[in-house]
């Protein structure tokens, strides 16, 4: 771990202390459930440092949805307070080339608890409101290796059902938009275009889920 990462992690922890006075943990509680699932999912596979968790999730989310330290560290603090993860201090080791002597400062690492494992599987099987959250599903998909084939199938089928319900809503609403007397013709044209866009997006997503489901079923 570089000196720069040491400083970044320390700044993040200081921010938790500062924001904690004004409800930093409560802010983290309201954050995207994908972030909580990600932290727990990564710790399911072994202990990690905060800087590494930040690095991995930002690779998953992509350049337009970067997770800030101001969100990550209050979340980690809240998970620790709720007994879902535990913190331990390890000794960082660096060796000077000329002396080969050990030096460095202790650094924090995080590990999941039994309660954290239960919460992980709860989030994997029960997304908030049983709705389709693309970011949450992206994290779930990255952790599919921790589920059985039948559990994966259950997650995929639930999301497909939600998307199909949403698609039906747009299909039924399309004729209503065409006949709505409160819309002028210019406005109606672009509202219908929006409906058409949503239907195309939903068709593409549903097709992806159907293919993923079929692959699991063939393997079974």
């Amino acid at each position: 771990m570089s000196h720069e990462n040491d400083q970044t992690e320390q700044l993040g922890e200081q921010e938790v202390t500062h924001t904690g006075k004004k409800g930093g943990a409560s802010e983290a509680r309201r954050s995207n459930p994908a972030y909580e699932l990600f932290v727990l999912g990564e710790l399911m596979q072994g202990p990690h440092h905060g800087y590494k968790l930040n690095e991995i999730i930002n690779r998953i989310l992509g350049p337009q949805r970067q997770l800030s330290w101001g969100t990550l560290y209050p979340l980690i603090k809240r998970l620790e307070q709720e007994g879902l993860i535990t913190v331990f201090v390890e000794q960082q080791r660096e060796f000077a080339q000329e002396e080969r002597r050990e030096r460095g400062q202790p650094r924090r690492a995080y590990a999941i608890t039994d309660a954290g494992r239960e919460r992980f599987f709860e989030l994997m099987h029960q997304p908030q409101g049983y709705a389709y959250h693309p970011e949450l599903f992206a994290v779930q998909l990255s952790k599919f290796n921790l589920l059985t084939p039948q559990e994966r199938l259950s997650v995929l089928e639930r999301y497909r059902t939600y998307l199909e319900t949403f698609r039906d809503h747009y299909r039924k609403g399309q004729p209503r938009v065409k006949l709505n007397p409160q819309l002028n013709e210019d406005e109606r044209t672009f509202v219908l275009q929006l409906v058409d866009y949503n239907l195309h997006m939903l068709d593409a997503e549903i097709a992806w889920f159907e293919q993923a489901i079929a692959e699991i079923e063939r393997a079974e």
Side-chain angles (χ1 to χ4, degrees):
M1 180 176 177
S2 69
H3 179 64
E4 181 182 356
N5 283 328
D6 278 329
Q7 288 183 321
T8 305
E9 194 158 359
Q10 288 168 5
L11 287 172
E13 291 173 359
Q14 289 170 5
E15 188 169 358
V16 170
T17 302
H18 176 71
T19 57
K21 297 177 182 179
K22 295 184 179 181
S26 63
E27 290 297 322
R29 184 180 297 278
R30 292 194 294 271
S31 66
N32 192 320
Y35 302 155
E36 178 179 351
L37 177 61
F38 166 78
V39 171
L40 296 176
E42 285 300 308
L43 298 184
M44 285 282 289
Q45 302 177 80
H48 272 302
H49 304 97
Y51 84 95
K52 189 65 174 178
L53 292 171
N54 182 267
E55 178 184 309
I56 297 171
I57 193 170
N58 283 335
R59 285 204 303 265
I60 294 174
L61 295 178
Q64 301 301 319
R65 297 286 297 181
Q66 295 290 287
L67 178 65
S68 70
W69 294 105
T71 299
L72 178 61
Y73 274 99
L75 171 60
I76 288 175
K77 189 68 175 178
R78 192 259 291 179
L79 296 178
E80 181 186 351
Q81 290 172 343
E82 293 182 353
L84 302 179
I85 66 175
T86 185
V87 61
F88 63 93
V89 176
E90 66 175 22
Q91 184 68 35
Q92 178 183 351
R93 294 184 177 182
E94 296 177 357
F95 294 91
Q97 291 183 356
E98 68 279 8
E99 298 181 17
R100 305 286 295 175
R101 64 184 178 82
E102 185 179 25
R103 61 178 180 169
Q105 297 180 347
R107 58 177 179 170
R108 286 186 163 198
Y110 305 94
I112 197 166
T113 64
D114 289 341
R117 291 186 182 89
E118 291 181 10
R119 177 60 176 161
F120 167 79
F121 285 111
E122 177 185 339
L123 286 170
M124 287 294 287
H125 292 296
Q126 298 180 10
Q128 282 192 346
Y130 294 90
Y132 175 52
H133 302 278
E135 286 183 352
L136 178 58
F137 177 70
V139 176
Q140 287 176 319
L141 190 59
S142 74
K143 302 294 178 282
F144 259 25
N145 63 303
L146 299 173
L147 299 182
T148 66
Q150 283 301 313
E151 288 173 330
R152 296 170 200 165
L153 194 61
S154 176
V155 172
L156 293 171
E157 287 176 338
R158 181 173 59 249
Y159 278 130
R160 181 184 61 179
T161 297
Y162 173 80
L163 291 171
E164 288 173 338
T165 301
F166 206 35
R167 182 177 61 183
D168 289 344
H169 167 77
Y170 276 107
R171 284 177 173 172
K172 291 176 181 178
Q174 206 168 26
R176 299 193 192 103
V177 173
K178 293 178 179 178
L179 299 174
N180 189 338
Q182 296 180 349
L183 295 175
N184 61 50
E185 289 309 308
D186 287 341
E187 186 178 9
R188 191 188 319 277
T189 297
F190 291 105
V191 171
L192 286 171
Q193 195 171 53
L194 175 60
V195 171
D196 186 62
Y197 167 79
N198 284 318
L199 285 171
H200 274 79
M201 294 293 289
L202 288 164
D203 282 340
E205 288 187 272
I206 291 169
W208 184 92
F209 277 93
E210 288 177 342
Q211 180 179 349
I213 289 168
E215 288 176 359
I216 293 177
E217 291 175 338
R218 280 197 298 269
E220 288 291 288

